[in-house]
Amino acid sequence: MLLFVLLVGAFGAEEDTALCEILGSPEFPLLSKEGDITIGGVFSIHSQISSPPLTFTDAPEPLKCSRINFREFRFAQTMMFAIEEINNSSSLLPNISIGYKIFDGCGSNLPSTRAVMGLINGPERTLEKTCSSHLSVHAIVGASESSSAIAMLQISGIFQIPVISHFATCACLSNKKEYPSFFRTIPSDYHQSRALAKLVKHFGWTWVGAVRSDNDYGNNGMATFITAASQEGVCIEYSEAISRTDPSEQVTRVVRVIQSGSARVLVAFLAQGEMEILLEEALKQNLTGLQWVGSESWITAGHLATKGYSRILTGSLGFTIRKSKITGLREFLLQVNPKFWEATFGCSLQSSPHGQTQCSGSERLQDIKNPFTDVSELRISNNVYKAVYAVAYAMHNMLKCGQSGEVVKHLQDVNFTLQSGERVYFDENGDPTATYELVNWQRNQAGDIVFVAIGSYDASLPNGKQFTMIGINTTWAAESLERPQSVCSESCLPGFRQAVIKGKPICCFSCIACAAGEISNFSNSAECSRCQLEYWSNEDHSQCVPKVIEFLSYGETMGVLLTAFSLFGASLTLVVSCVFFWFRHTPLVKASNFELSFLLLFSLTLCFLCSLTFIGRPSEWSCMLRHTAFGITFALCMSCILAKTIAVVIAFKAKRPANTVPQCSAPFQRTSVLSCTLLQVLVCLLWLTLAPPFPYKNTAHATERIILECDLGSPIGFWAVLGYIGLLAVLCFILAFLARKLPDNFNEAKFITFSMLIFCAVWVTFIPAYVSSPGKFTVAVEIFAILASSFGLLFCIFAPKCYILLLKPEKNTKKHMMGRN
């Protein structure tokens, strides 16, 4: 059954015409069996190829393949096992036998191209050395490399021979316009690359290095990964490419780039051949301390774990397809032919003239553990198994319908379930559903490397639910139990934002503290968010807290002092009232108009007390009360002074007989005081009715705090109230000024003049101070103006009288009041 297994895969090169002349005639397949239906197979049974020198004078030497790949040989044997299983089935293709022709693609494009030529034409040659037109196979399983599969499709696609790959993952092969006859049982790298990007983001690795195979598989896969990584906020420090045909200097340079980089995570999108070359150089340069993230091509390659590479790769992570069990495969593999026996045990079944050890006969393949006999990780082998069955079901349906030559169409429509319960079908691009296992290289208790599933990725699920982790401890690189860190810049703590450093990737940044009023409440925030209007940032700018509400309260020093002065002024006024009441029958009090004096003292008491309404938290009633109380009490005060001033002027300026003194009637005084006060009351009522003052949170004046103040509602109302008081004060001042030099030992007009000067000075100064004072100081200025003017009136008008009443009683006589000695 096996014509040639492990000997060097040589391909003859002879002169020919047309296409045969370019490629040379294909050699016989390595493995073949006759059947009614023939399935071709192309596997990289050898992983290295030597290019013969071209002299242009002699025929080229045959291509020589070397370095046996036991894993790929197992793939070929799995294909044979599946065909034997189908041939023994009574339900699938009954009475029809399947044959096979399996070629060695050597992991290179040229041998793969020659192999597909051999599968299409067969080994026959005419005397004229022209290619045969007979199609010897109905479908081809393979190849393992994307570039090789593309090379094969350039020829097989012309004849509509389907190629079903078990391992070619390049996303470019999903293009049905370019490759209409291509199918595969392994998902496209489009999904794997995106899954890898989500993986590195999940672990917080935003600064990674990348190395890829310099072919369709590596270049396309890495391009998709870089795009997806950028969308996830992951930056690539470097991206290097190697090929198995590169000179050693190139591989050495790539390892030096990796070693000198600051990224501690390396994404290796490599085929097995390039991976082995890279690892050999990594061992030479002692490349350790990296977290490897691998593609499905090598992440479950058992022979890499059994070699000295495990010291470098322990803790590796990567996505791979789900593993499965194929009943009877191991027993089939152990029935391999003698040549494989010789290669496995390094002995010869016959005496060798080269001194090779002769086999003793006690060797047992069951005792050998290598990638060929190890069926514990049947992932890609299961893909080969599914590919063969897909062809068989397609052929079965085609023959059942009485059709021929439409294998591609029936392959697109296959939908069946294997004995293992796995469902097999292709989407419109010829791809299977993209589901992966996330595996981690861990050491078991025996010290051996095992592949442990720690997560999964299902591309059919909605975004955000595709990638999941399961609760299994992960062993990290370099035998460390700590998760490696791989970032260009350390994380920015809450309260800081990232600032891109000019000329560097976005993952390299400096941390800048958020401005006042802005926060970032999570690490690595790209920008700070501004707090809402009534909130402000806390000290470390990590959260928004309610702004401090500022108003003049009774609990602070300024509020206590103003309250004290207000109560002191009111108390002092009450004392003066008591003094006047005690001396109410004396000439001085009578001359001062007892009734108006008491009314004035009452209004001054209210003026002192109304300042208390300006202290404390503003509310609707306090805002309306403070301004109206202020306006009415001061209007009453000014009305009393005005009435007293008018009385003085009339008393001394009126023309009268010498023995007659005109008296200002009490009703006139009461009427004038009441009229002037009621006019102010009317203004206040209009103000409160149309646009009353109300509590207002002022956020414009101070950004870090809220000033709780009373909005005037109608500024016109406020200035009308204040202007009316000012008008009364000016009238009092004018009249008092005119009567200031009247002949009298006790001229009250003189004191009213001084009091009005102080009053007007205070309120003229108040206006600019009120407008320019910030926050609670606005209220303080208004209270100060009320208290200062009230104290001015009290002292200027009543202090001289109290002085005489209490300290100079001898002057408190009618004769002295009239200026008579």
Side-chain angles (χ1 to χ4, degrees), residues 276-316:
E276 291 182 7
I277 293 172
L278 181 67
L279 289 174
E280 287 178 2
E281 184 61 33
L283 282 176
K284 292 179 183 178
Q285 297 192 33
N286 194 27
L287 179 64
T288 57
L290 288 179
Q291 171 65 52
W292 290 73
V293 177
S295 59
E296 93 297 327
S297 176
W298 65 268
I299 198 63
T300 55
H303 69 284
L304 296 181
T306 57
K307 292 187 176 183
Y309 308 139
S310 61
R311 179 171 63 88
I312 298 175
L313 297 177
T314 300
S316 295

Side-chain angles (χ1 to χ4, degrees), residues 157-441:
I158 299 173
F159 303 99
Q160 285 295 296
I161 299 177
V163 173
I164 308 97
S165 178
H166 56 287
F167 215 177
T169 58
C170 179
C172 58
L173 288 166
S174 296
N175 187 344
K176 272 298 179 185
K177 291 184 178 179
E178 193 168 353
Y179 308 111
S181 60
F182 178 75
F183 300 84
R184 54 182 160 195
T185 52
I186 190 168
S188 164
D189 276 336
Y190 172 80
H191 302 289
Q192 182 189 195
S193 299
R194 296 174 65 84
L196 289 173
K198 292 183 181 294
L199 173 66
V200 296
K201 179 62 175 180
H202 173 80
F203 289 114
W205 300 325
T206 58
W207 187 242
V208 301
V211 61
R212 67 188 186 278
S213 295
D214 193 8
N215 53 29
D216 294 286
Y217 165 73
N219 292 332
N220 283 274
M222 185 57 69
T224 305
F225 169 77
I226 291 175
T227 301
S230 176
Q231 295 171 353
E232 296 288 344
V234 177
C235 298
I236 312 300
E237 181 183 13
Y238 54 83
S239 180
E240 297 291 334
I242 61 173
S243 173
R244 70 188 70 183
T245 58
D246 285 342
S248 59
E249 292 80 9
Q250 169 65 8
V251 182
T252 300
R253 186 196 66 81
V254 170
V255 174
R256 285 177 180 168
V257 169
I258 297 171
Q259 201 163 31
S260 61
S262 59
R264 306 319 303 157
V265 173
L266 178 63
V267 178
F269 218 99
L270 295 166
Q272 279 194 57
E274 284 80 13
M275 186 64 181
E276 291 182 7
I277 293 172
L278 181 67
L279 289 174
E280 287 178 2
E281 184 61 33
L283 282 176
K284 292 179 183 178
Q285 297 192 33
N286 194 27
L287 179 64
T288 57
L290 288 179
Q291 171 65 52
W292 290 73
V293 177
S295 59
E296 93 297 327
S297 176
W298 65 268
I299 198 63
T300 55
H303 69 284
L304 296 181
T306 57
K307 292 187 176 183
Y309 308 139
S310 61
R311 179 171 63 88
I312 298 175
L313 297 177
T314 300
S316 295
L317 292 169
F319 288 100
T320 185
I321 59 174
R322 300 183 185 277
K323 64 181 178 180
S324 182
K325 291 184 178 180
I326 302 177
T327 305
L329 178 60
R330 177 171 170 79
E331 291 73 18
F332 182 84
L333 295 177
L334 297 178
Q335 298 174 7
V336 73
N337 77 327
K339 288 185 178 294
F340 177 74
W341 186 289
E342 292 180 350
T344 301
F345 294 105
C347 63
S348 175
L349 295 174
Q350 299 177 355
S351 58
S352 172
H354 303 291
Q356 188 175 5
T357 304
Q358 188 169 358
C359 298
S360 64
S362 61
E363 295 87 359
R364 287 165 45 88
L365 284 177
Q366 291 86 341
D367 299 332
I368 294 296
K369 186 176 180 180
N370 63 19
F372 177 74
T373 58
D374 183 13
V375 294
S376 62
E377 295 287 334
L378 293 182
R379 303 176 190 270
I380 310 304
S381 296
N382 189 49
N383 283 353
V384 177
Y385 187 76
K386 290 188 289 186
V388 175
Y389 265 88
V391 174
Y393 271 97
M395 297 294 294
H396 181 89
N397 295 334
M398 183 183 72
L399 296 176
K400 184 179 178 180
C401 296
Q403 300 171 341
S404 61
E406 297 184 3
V407 185
V408 172
K409 177 182 179 300
H410 286 85
L411 262 175
Q412 186 68 63
D413 298 332
V414 296
N415 192 331
F416 60 94
T417 303
L418 296 173
Q419 292 180 356
S420 62
E422 186 176 359
R423 185 182 167 204
V424 180
Y425 64 95
F426 302 107
D427 64 13
E428 65 276 6
N429 297 321
D431 296 332
T433 302
T435 58
Y436 298 96
E437 278 185 350
L438 175 61
V439 297
N440 174 226
W441 290 37

Side-chain angles (χ1 to χ4, degrees), residues 569-683:
S571 302
L572 188 60
T573 307
L574 290 175
V575 170
V576 173
S577 300
C578 292
V579 170
F580 262 61
F581 182 77
W582 183 262
F583 293 99
R584 65 186 180 278
H585 300 299
T586 62
L588 178 60
V589 175
K590 289 181 178 180
S592 300
N593 196 323
F594 175 76
E595 186 176 339
L596 283 179
S597 294
F598 268 92
L599 191 57
L600 178 58
L601 287 169
F602 172 72
S603 65
L604 282 174
T605 304
L606 294 179
C607 288
F608 281 116
L609 292 178
C610 82
S611 64
L612 297 178
T613 62
F614 288 83
I615 305 174
R617 189 184 187 94
S619 61
E620 289 187 10
W621 69 268
S622 67
C623 287
M624 291 188 291
L625 178 63
R626 64 173 57 172
H627 289 99
T628 54
F630 155 72
I632 294 171
T633 55
F634 267 87
L636 177 61
C637 182
M638 290 297 104
S639 298
C640 293
I641 295 174
L642 182 61
K644 287 174 68 69
T645 308
I646 292 173
V648 172
V649 172
I650 291 175
F652 287 95
K653 290 290 186 181
K655 295 179 179 180
R656 66 196 188 290
N659 59 349
T660 305
V661 178
Q663 296 290 330
C664 285
S665 64
F668 171 76
Q669 295 174 4
R670 296 190 192 102
T671 303
S672 63
V673 171
L674 183 62
S675 300
C676 293
T677 305
L678 284 178
L679 185 58
Q680 183 75 301
V681 171
L682 180 61
V683 173

Side-chain angles (χ1 to χ4, degrees), residues 23 51-52 243 320 329 450 458 545 690 731 733:
L23 297 177
S51 300
S243 173
T320 185
L329 178 60
V450 291
D458 190 343
V545 295
L690 299 177
L731 289 175
F733 174 74

Side-chain angles (χ1 to χ4, degrees), residues 2-22:
L2 303 178
L3 299 181
F4 184 68
V5 181
L6 300 177
L7 298 181
V8 175
F11 296 91
E14 301 178 9
E15 287 187 282
D16 209 334
T17 59
L19 188 60
C20 291
E21 191 171 57
I22 299 174

Side-chain angles (χ1 to χ4, degrees), residues 31-103:
L31 306 168
S32 67
K33 180 183 178 179
E34 296 295 329
D36 299 326
I37 296 173
T38 303
I39 301 177
V42 179
F43 302 95
S44 301
I45 297 176
H46 293 87
S47 58
Q48 284 189 350
I49 185 171
S50 60
S51 300
L54 301 176
T55 62
F56 299 102
T57 56
D58 300 321
E61 296 178 6
L63 296 173
K64 295 183 179 180
C65 297
S66 59
R67 198 169 186 175
I68 182 70
N69 188 324
F70 288 102
R71 191 187 188 197
E72 289 282 334
F73 185 53
R74 171 160 43 88
F75 298 162
Q77 292 291 319
T78 303
M79 176 179 170
M80 294 163 53
F81 170 77
I83 291 175
E84 290 295 328
E85 197 172 71
I86 294 169
N87 285 338
N88 293 328
S89 172
S90 59
S91 58
L92 185 59
L93 291 175
N95 303 319
I96 296 177
S97 63
I98 302 178
Y100 53 82
K101 294 180 180 180
I102 298 176
F103 282 79

